[in-house]
Structure formats: structure tokens, C-alpha cells
Amino acid sequence: MFGRVLKSLVTFRRDRRGNVAMLWGLMGAGLIGLIGLTVDFTRAQTIRTQLQNAADGAALAAARAPANVSLADRTELARAFFDAEAGEYAQGVTFSLSPAADLAYRVNVSTTMEGSLTQLISDQDWEIGVESEAVRGGVNLEVALVLDSTGSMAGSKLTALKSAATSLVDTIVQDVQTPYYSKLALVSYSVGVNAGSYAAQARGDIPAGRSISAASWSVGPQRTVTGATRANPVVVTANGHGFTNGQVVYLSGIRGMTQINNRYFRVASATTNTFALQDASTGANINGSSYSNWQSGGTQRAQRCQRNACEVVVTANSHGFSNGANVFITGVGGMNINNATGSGTGTTWTLSNVDSNTFTLVSSLGPSYSAYSNGGTAYCTTYGCEYYRFTNASGTTNVFRVSTCVSERTGAQAYTDASPATAFVGLNYPSTATNGACPTNTVLPLTTNRSTINARINGLSASGFTGGQIGAAWGWYMVSPNFSSLWTGSSAPAAYGAPETLKVVVLMTDGAFNVNYCNGVIAQNAGGGNNVDQINCNATNGDPLQQALSLCTAMKQRGIVVYTVGFDMASESQASRNMMRDCATSTSHAYMADNAADLMVAFQQIAQSISQLRISH
């Protein structure tokens, strides 16, 4: 078409007739203006397209910024993005950013373009304006952030993690929670996950200890000893003693004949004022022919024992213990029959002579203790009790106390998110050693309170081995509707398949998963721990990496998006690195960060992806 117009113009120019020249004068300017209009319109469209693309990016940048960024700083950020994208067209534009409804930000851009040949028609500049609005994706967000707080994270690595995690939280959790909410839960792990106040519901109640109301070893009044013969058997004089044959007495304060002092004997040949001594165990006569001479003076006495070996008899009404059971005793006043109060002592009392309200402490020597004054509690020591007595991998006995930490769930529901009312998660009997102790950081269920989340992150401390499979499980539980018996109210996760709802787990670690459990204690084949702290059985659920992968597979099947972040894992095994890759929803959801800067970028990219930003118009 342009060629035909040009040919006509040449013909007009060559035609010398007056009427043609006049027509050319009338029509030339208009035809040239029309051509210029076409050219300038194309230019305007090119500029507008460039400005629109830049404005779209600027709006996204504004909406992507953390919620606590001011409008002025957000505008500066958006303008910088716009200038970079618009290039030469950014010169002289009018740029503005304003908040819009529903977590959106609107960018308005306008500029002028000077006409070229169109000035033959009009000398006015062209006005070009574009508008873009970015909003967060139309979904409710439920995100579980699972962080490694093991001993290898101590120092600068934990500092870097806190900064990166806080950045993610600030991007995801918004001040305005309508029309869509954005909630985040926090799980940190080392040898296990500390369920805190939720532990009892998650792993089941622990049987209460039995209150002790009395403890004694002797009965009846003390009798004063006034003599003892060097004979076979030794005959003791204690006027009006009241002992009968077969009873056991304890002699103390004996002078001269010290061979019978602080010992217990069976009474034989008893008369009103005397009795002979026999061995309490064998019944053999005590031959005192070679003993020293008895001496008078001092406080010499005989006391009748309640049990054959002068063992302590404890009263704890309706205690429920049985003969041969081992109990852990603590809190007794006066008579120090307490076992050590910490884990790892290996000390308990074996019981005998058990009836409904009393029991005897085997091998206790009552006269060696002060008198009972008050209090005390006796605990069972089998698996599921407050204290657990077990044989460790070195073949000796340990007694560990249950904690609010939890270990793997076993059995048919090991790799599901079945309600804890259906299947409890595993108990955790941790060592008191630094690398085996229960971490102090407790779980935080879904919340919209960004300050609370960040305060928890900043309070993280590092210790212990790596039970990452337990962290992965609890990441799932935090967003699972099947755990709503634990996470109630505003922390309750939405149902699976709820409209416009996205569930996400972000799992981070800096090393190999090296802790797994048997009966709530670190297993003897675990990679972390030592023979003293490990139980003498292999892990019930097997390899922790495979456990984690099974959990990730199961949660992905429920529609949960899984991101993984490996931090400084270049020296870790290929199996560990593969697990982090395979655990993620896809390879694009798996990140490997070699240093603090990489970690920050990884968390920021994950946060941006989760936020599901989109252009609305």
C-alpha cells in the first residue's frame, strides 16, 4: 500500500498542469500526515508495550516486598525495577505506586511522545499511559517451616539461618488476612522435636508416680543392751527386750565387742532378758569366742527390723507395683532413699514383699539412713513410664526420664498423618549429654502473628544430633487437618482439598540424618550418639533418610508442596543430598546453599514462589 501511495505522489509531483498542482497542494500535507500517523502509532505501541512490561514487573516487586516495608520504600523498590526494565523509555515518565484492595499494589505510568510527520495534522504530543496491579495469589497459605537446630548449626550458620528464615516469614505472613489468610508454623529439630505442651496428647499420657506416705525399717521401741558374751553363740542381755525367736534385730553403739556392732542378726533362744545371735541369712550361730570383750557405757541398743535384712519398707497406698518390679524414687525427705534425679544413673530399687499399700526395697539397709520425714514419689520404670530402665549398647543399665520431645511413630501409621488419637507418636527418653538432650525449642502451630514467629526463630539454639525424619513428620503434622485435636482454634489447618488453600512444608538441614530410635532411646545402630546413651536394639523404623523420604512421598500424595534446603552440604554423602532432592516436590523445589548468601537467596526465592503473586490487570 505504501508503494502505491509513493507512486501517486511522484506522479503528482511530475504533473505540471495547474489543477494537478493545486490538488497536490491541498492533498499532499494530509497524505503525509496520514503516513506519519501510521508510523507514530507503531512507535507509541512499542513504547506502551515496553512500559507495560516494566510496570507489571514493578507492581510484582512492590507486592513481593515484605509486609513491614513502608510505602515509600516499596515505591523506591518498584521504581528501581521499572527503570531497569524500561531502559531508555524510563526517561521523563511520571511513576506512582498506590495500595489497592486485597493485598494489591497499583502502578501508574504516563509519558509523552513527540509526533513526527503527524505534526502536519496536529502539533500536540502523544500521551501514553499504562497501569498495572499485582496481588498475592488467590489462595490461603498454610506453611510449615522446619529448621535444623543441631549442634553443627552453632555459630555463624545459625545466625545465617535466622536471617534467612525471618526474611521468608516477612514475605509470606501478611498484616492483612483478608480475603485470604497466610499462616506459618515453626518446627525446629535436633535429636527429636520438642512438642512442648502438646506432648501428652501427641504421645499419650505418662502414668503418674505413686505418692509415698511413710518409709521405715524398724518396729517397736529400742532396747538397751547391757551385755554380750564371748561364746558360741553370742548371748546378748537386754532386759525386757520383747523379741521372739526368728525375728531380726539390729545392734548399734556396741562397745568393746565391735564385731557385732552395726550388724543385724536373727534372734534365737530368747528369754525375758536375753537372746542368742544367729546369722540372719543362714541361721548359723554367731561364734564370739574370738571377739573382743564387751564394755559397758554409752548408748548400746537393739532394734527389731521389719524385714530379714533390715530393708526399708515403703508405704504408698494403692501403688500397683509387683514383686520384682524396679521403681525410681525421688523427693523423699529425711530418709535419703532417693535415686539420682537426672537421666543416665542406672539406679532403681527392686521390690519385694509387695502388698497393696507397701513394698520393700531390696538390698536397702535401713539403719544407714536417717528417719523418714515427709514426701516422695515412686515411679514405674518400663517403657511408657516417667522413667525408663534399659540396657545400653555397652551392656550396662541406664535410667532415662521421658521428655516433652518425641521420636518416630512406629507401626502401621509410621508414615501417615493419622490422628494421634488413633496412633501416638513415639516417646523420647533423651540423654542428659549435650548431643543427646531434648532441645529447648518447642513447636509453634499455625499463626498469623509474624512477631511471635520471628521471636521464636531468633531464640533458636543449636545442640544435638540430627533426627531430620522427625522434623519432616512434624512439618506434615502442623498442616494436617488430622492433627486438629492438637492444633485448635485459629491454628487448626484447613481440610485437605479446601477451596483456594495451599499447604506447604519447607524442610531445611545442614547435614546427614543420623539419629533413629528403638523404644524411645537412640538406637544402637544410629549414626549419632554413643554406646552409653544408646539402647541395645536397632532402630524400629530403620534408616532415617529412608524414613524422611517415605514421609515426603506420603505428604506429597496428599497435595502438600514440599521445598527442601540443604545448607553447606557439599561434604555430605550423596545419599543425603539425593534425599533432599527426592524429598522435594520437584527438582526446582530443591535448593542447595553453600554459604549464608546462598541460603538467603534460597529462602527468598521459596518465599516468593509460595506467595503465588500474579498480575490481576
Side-chain angles (χ1 to χ4, degrees):
M1 177 180 177
F2 181 75
R4 292 197 301 269
V5 172
L6 182 60
K7 184 177 180 180
S8 299
L9 291 174
V10 172
T11 302
F12 270 116
R13 181 177 65 83
R14 291 176 176 174
D15 198 325
R16 300 298 182 181
R17 291 171 295 178
N19 58 339
V20 173
M22 181 179 64
L23 288 173
W24 169 253
L26 292 173
M27 297 176 57
L31 289 171
I32 295 173
L34 289 174
I35 295 171
L37 182 63
T38 301
V39 173
D40 288 346
F41 180 80
T42 301
R43 287 178 54 219
Q45 284 296 95
T46 300
I47 295 172
R48 188 182 188 285
T49 299
Q50 186 76 10
L51 295 180
Q52 185 68 61
N53 291 337
D56 288 346
L60 284 171
R64 184 182 294 127
N68 58 353
V69 172
S70 68
L71 181 60
D73 289 342
R74 199 180 297 269
T75 301
E76 182 177 351
L77 176 68
R79 180 59 193 261
F81 190 97
F82 175 85
D83 288 348
E85 289 295 308
E88 61 178 313
Y89 298 120
Q91 300 298 320
V93 303
T94 301
F95 179 95
S96 67
L97 176 72
S98 59
D102 301 335
L103 305 178
Y105 287 90
R106 181 179 295 113
V107 168
N108 285 282
V109 174
S110 63
T111 188
T112 60
M113 182 191 79
E114 183 178 352
S116 58
L117 294 177
T118 55
Q119 291 185 352
L120 295 173
I121 301 173
S122 172
D123 61 357
Q124 291 185 352
D125 292 338
W126 288 49
E127 295 290 336
I128 302 174
V130 296
E131 179 182 284
S132 182
E133 185 174 299
V135 297
R136 296 196 173 271
V139 293
N140 298 309
L141 293 178
E142 295 179 355
V143 180
L145 181 57
V146 184
L147 303 179
D148 184 336
S149 61
T150 55
S152 59
M153 285 294 298
S156 60
K157 292 175 72 173
L158 187 61
T159 300
L161 175 62
K162 290 178 180 180
S163 296
T166 299
S167 172
L168 180 144
V169 172
D170 287 342
T171 299
I172 291 176
V173 182
Q174 297 297 299
D175 289 328
V176 180
Q177 293 291 320
T178 56
Y180 301 105
Y181 63 76
S182 51
K183 300 179 181 180
L184 189 141
L186 181 65
V187 176
S188 62
Y189 66 89
S190 60
V191 296
V193 169
N194 193 334
S197 60
Y198 304 101
Q201 288 177 274
R203 49 132 164 95
D205 290 325
I206 303 299
R210 299 305 181 185
S211 296
I212 294 172
S213 57
S216 61
W217 62 272
S218 65
V219 294
Q222 299 179 11
R223 297 305 182 185
T224 300
V225 174
T226 58
T229 64
R230 296 177 62 204
N232 184 11
V234 173
V235 176
V236 175
T237 301
N239 295 334
H241 56 73
F243 304 140
T244 60
N245 291 338
Q247 291 180 342
V248 175
V249 297
Y250 186 82
L251 304 180
S252 60
I254 304 301
R255 303 183 66 189
M257 192 181 289
T258 56
Q259 291 86 348
I260 62 171
N261 191 42
N262 296 328
R263 293 179 60 189
Y264 55 87
F265 304 93
R266 184 181 298 173
V267 172
S269 304
T271 67
T272 301
N273 297 319
T274 65
F275 56 89
L277 302 183
Q278 293 181 338
D279 184 277
S281 299
T282 66
N285 289 335
I286 300 299
N287 186 351
S289 302
S290 62
Y291 288 176
S292 304
N293 290 321
W294 179 86
Q295 297 177 7
S296 63
T299 302
Q300 304 185 61
R301 57 186 180 269
Q303 295 172 270
R304 177 188 164 192
C305 297
Q306 288 178 266
R307 297 287 182 258
N308 285 342
C310 294
E311 294 164 317
V312 174
V313 177
V314 175
T315 300
N317 292 336
S318 302
H319 54 72
F321 302 133
S322 58
N323 281 320
N326 287 276
V327 299
F328 189 95
I329 293 177
T330 185
V332 173
M335 181 181 287
N336 188 16
I337 55 173
N338 298 297
N339 301 118
T341 55
S343 291
T345 64
T347 303
T348 57
W349 290 110
T350 303
L351 306 187
S352 65
N353 300 298
V354 174
D355 61 31
S356 59
N357 296 319
T358 65
F359 50 82
T360 298
L361 306 182
V362 175
S363 299
S364 60
L365 182 60
S368 64
Y369 302 112
S370 300
Y372 172 86
S373 60
N374 64 286
T377 306
Y379 296 91
C380 60
T381 59
T382 55
Y383 179 77
C385 294
E386 183 77 16
Y387 292 87
Y388 180 36
R389 182 177 183 269
F390 63 94
T391 302
N392 64 24
S394 295
T396 58
T397 301
N398 273 354
V399 180
F400 285 178
R401 189 175 189 178
V402 76
S403 68
T404 54
C405 276
V406 291
S407 60
E408 304 107 328
R409 178 152 56 183
T410 59
Q413 305 299 336
Y415 305 116
T416 77
D417 63 336
S419 167
T422 299
F424 291 130
V425 302
L427 300 176
N428 191 309
Y429 293 94
S431 166
T432 56
T434 300
N435 285 329
C438 174
T440 58
N441 315 309
T442 59
V443 298
L444 178 66
L446 289 170
T447 179
T448 60
N449 192 321
R450 192 168 57 249
S451 297
T452 297
I453 301 169
N454 287 336
R456 286 289 190 93
I457 291 172
N458 289 328
L460 290 178
S461 58
S463 66
F465 301 113
T466 310
Q469 74 280 14
I470 305 172
W474 277 78
W476 185 4
Y477 301 159
M478 301 307 277
V479 296
S480 168
N482 295 329
F483 268 66
S484 291
S485 58
L486 270 66
W487 326 129
T488 58
S490 61
S491 294
Y496 287 125
E500 300 180 313
T501 301
L502 178 67
K503 295 177 182 288
V504 180
V505 171
V506 181
L507 174 64
M508 172 269 164
T509 188
D510 79 327
F513 296 174
N514 58 8
V515 170
N516 41 8
Y517 285 81
C518 177
N519 290 341
V521 181
I522 296 177
Q524 65 181 0
N525 62 339
N530 56 65
N531 288 344
V532 175
D533 295 332
Q534 295 170 325
I535 194 169
N536 65 340
C537 56
N538 289 335
T540 306
N541 287 357
D543 180 63
L545 291 178
Q546 186 57 51
Q547 289 188 55
L549 189 57
S550 296
L551 287 161
C552 288
T553 299
M555 73 174 86
K556 287 185 290 188
Q557 290 173 347
R558 297 308 303 262
I560 296 172
V561 178
V562 180
Y563 292 87
T564 60
V565 181
F567 183 25
D568 190 25
M569 290 185 65
S571 61
E572 297 295 338
S573 69
Q574 190 61 48
S576 295
R577 295 169 63 85
N578 288 347
M579 187 280 299
M580 293 297 284
R581 178 199 65 202
D582 297 338
C583 192
T585 291
S586 71
T587 54
S588 64
H589 289 74
Y591 293 79
M592 283 293 171
D594 293 332
N595 50 51
D598 290 347
L599 186 69
M600 177 63 77
V601 170
F603 272 77
Q604 288 178 339
Q605 290 180 353
I606 291 171
Q608 292 165 9
S609 176
I610 292 173
S611 294
Q612 293 288 294
L613 297 174
R614 63 179 175 85
I615 296 295
S616 62
H617 62 273

